[in-house]
Each structure stands twice: as structure tokens, then as C-alpha cells.
Amino acid sequence: MNKKQLKIIACLCMFYDHLDRILPIQLLLAPLWDWLYEMGQEALIDQLFRLLNYIGRLAAPIFLFCIVDGFFHTHDKKRYIQRVAITALLAQVPYVLFNMAEMHTYGAAALISEIDLNILFTLSLGLIAIWLTDTLLERRQYLLAIISIITACLLATGLHMEGKYGYILILFAFYFLKDQKRWLQALLFIPIVILSRYRLFMLLFTETDARMVPTVILNIFGNYLGLLIPICFYNGQKGSISKTMQLGMYAFYPLHLLVLGMIGLLR
């Protein structure tokens, strides 16, 4: 599987996840649910619904992988980071609109002050930190490299960027493990995912409501499955990506948020 195919998969998974948050899949597939219910397959309905939720959890890990892989292959790291950062700025208004629409859909109060910065801000910060760390490691300034990683985690969390410190940790895991064997990467990513979702992971031991357990597992194991896709199937090839398609990939994020946000607010 080449990088172009990975990006397409990530975009489709992201779109599905965001669509489900504005137009819940159980409503879109209501005739199917009704048919299964009439067939006495209530348990199957529940299982299908849980499996479909995993689709959306695959998107972010694949994007995190692609952004780090792009860092290693770009000829101009500065321009690469600038493109991601500019897209982050352009996407913030659609991102806020989308989140307000989602809260509106479920009857919650839409407070702009409670909405995080979108994931591209996290990716931009992560890329800057990786670039700095890469430079420091070349100079054998290991302590400063560690400080740069910790600082990026603190900034992502303090500035309320999507994914916060967890996504920064995963970005650096891809950076440090890129040359390791696939089985070793898959093994080492288990503690990385747990650490990146530490608070959520602890709910498995402290949450008294058993109904929350499947949701916690979904958000931890689903992310791990997303990490396994590039680790296990990426062939190292870029694929034929034209300039138009490249721009389209960048534009897709803010545009689909804008469209879904408008749909959600107008419902």
C-alpha cells in the first residue's frame, strides 16, 4: 500500500467519522436496522454499530504517520511545515463551525471557548518539534532534544490542540521507530498508545459504569488499529500524486468540515 492510498483511506475514515457526528449512521441506515430488528437480530445490530465506530478511529493515526513520513521525504521542510500551518489557520473557522453543529445536533450548548484548536495545529507543532529534535540529535545535544519533546507536549495540551500531548507522543514514536522492524514497531506502539490515552485508559480501572467500557476500548484499541495499518501495509512508495491532488488533500479537511457544519446547523 503506497502513501497515496493511505491518505485516501485516512480521508474516507475521517469523513465517515465526521459525517456520523452530524448525521448519525443509525439514522442513515435506519431501514437496515429495522430489517435486522424484524429478523430478531438485535445483538447483530449492536455489534455492527460498534464495528462501524472503529472506522473513524483509524483516521488520525494514519494521518500522523503520513505527516512524519512526509517530513523525512520532503525536500523543503520549512515549506512543508508552512503548508500544514496555513491549512490549520484556514481550517479553524470551519472546525469551530463543525463542532458547534455537532453540539447543536445533540442539544448541547455551543460554547466557542470550549472548542480546541484543530488537529493541523497539533501536526504543525509536532513537525516543528521533530525538526528541532532532529537538528539537536545531529549535534548530540540529547538533553535539549528531550526538552523540545516535553515542551511540545506541554504546548499541545496547554493550548488545547486536538489530541493534545497524545498525538505529539505518537508523532515522535513514528519518528524514532521509522527504521525498526514492523513487529517491533507494533509491539512498542502498545505502551505508546496507552500512554497517549492514559486518562482514558485509567477509566478501565476506575469507571463504575460498565457501559463506558466499550467506549474506552474503542478509543484506545481503535487508535492502535489505525497505527497498525501503515506499520503493516505501507510499502514505502509515494504513489502518483499530482499537484492538483496534493492541493485537494489539503483543501479537503476545511471544506468537508465547512459543509458538514452548515448541514448540522441548518438541520
Side-chain angles (χ1 to χ4, degrees):
M1 186 181 298
N2 59 42
K3 190 173 179 181
K4 174 184 176 180
Q5 293 168 329
L6 282 176
K7 286 184 176 181
I8 291 173
I9 290 173
C11 285
L12 291 175
C13 290
M14 177 179 65
F15 180 75
Y16 172 84
D17 182 49
H18 290 165
L19 177 65
D20 185 44
R21 287 159 62 179
I22 300 298
L23 299 170
I25 195 66
Q26 62 264 39
L27 297 180
L28 295 177
L29 298 180
L32 175 60
W33 304 143
D34 291 342
W35 179 73
L36 289 173
Y37 184 80
E38 291 174 0
M39 296 290 290
Q41 299 294 329
E42 294 91 343
L44 180 59
I45 294 174
D46 185 59
Q47 292 300 319
L48 285 174
F49 184 65
R50 292 186 189 280
L51 288 174
L52 287 172
N53 283 336
Y54 276 89
I55 295 175
R57 299 303 178 272
L58 304 178
I62 298 175
F63 278 125
L64 294 173
F65 171 83
C66 289
I67 208 75
V68 175
D69 187 71
F71 172 84
F72 284 114
H73 290 95
T74 184
H75 298 295
D76 191 332
K77 291 179 171 55
K78 182 177 179 180
R79 287 189 62 186
Y80 181 55
I81 296 172
Q82 285 178 340
R83 285 197 301 270
V84 178
I86 290 171
T87 309
L89 291 170
L90 295 175
Q92 187 59 23
V93 171
Y95 182 77
V96 169
L97 182 68
F98 170 81
N99 279 272
M100 291 179 66
E102 182 184 13
M103 289 185 278
H104 173 73
T105 299
Y106 293 98
L111 301 176
I112 296 178
S113 59
E114 296 181 356
I115 298 175
D116 293 343
L117 295 174
N118 68 73
I119 189 174
L120 293 182
F121 281 102
T122 320
L123 298 182
S124 300
L125 174 62
L127 283 172
I128 293 171
I130 286 174
W131 193 10
L132 177 60
T133 301
D134 195 54
T135 303
L136 291 171
L137 290 177
E138 287 181 357
R139 299 174 181 176
R140 299 186 178 182
Q141 296 175 322
Y142 303 117
L143 179 59
L144 290 178
I146 294 173
I147 292 173
S148 70
I149 297 171
I150 295 173
T151 301
C153 290
L154 293 174
L155 284 174
T157 302
L159 295 175
H160 300 285
M161 296 179 180
E162 185 178 347
K164 301 181 173 62
Y165 76 93
Y167 283 178
I168 298 294
L169 289 179
I170 292 174
L171 285 170
F172 271 100
F174 278 129
Y175 167 77
F176 283 113
L177 298 176
K178 72 178 184 72
D179 294 324
Q180 300 299 321
K181 294 181 178 180
R182 292 180 177 182
W183 68 266
L184 182 59
Q185 291 184 54
L187 182 63
L188 292 177
F189 261 112
I190 295 175
I192 293 295
V193 169
I194 292 174
L195 185 59
S196 69
R197 294 277 182 166
Y198 176 73
R199 291 184 180 180
L200 195 61
F201 179 73
M202 291 306 297
L203 287 178
L204 290 174
F205 307 98
T206 59
E207 181 57 55
T208 57
D209 188 351
R211 293 173 298 179
M212 285 295 295
V213 173
T215 301
V216 173
I217 294 175
L218 167 70
N219 284 283
I220 297 175
F221 186 62
N223 275 183
Y224 181 66
L225 287 177
L227 295 171
L228 289 181
I229 290 176
I231 288 174
C232 296
F233 301 109
Y234 180 49
N235 60 16
Q237 301 298 315
K238 181 179 180 181
S240 58
I241 303 178
S242 64
K243 287 290 184 181
T244 301
M245 183 175 183
Q246 185 181 45
L247 290 174
M249 289 284 188
Y250 279 99
F252 178 76
Y253 182 69
L255 287 179
H256 92 280
L257 289 176
L258 179 63
V259 172
L260 291 177
M262 293 297 295
I263 291 173
L265 291 175
L266 293 174
R267 283 183 65 198

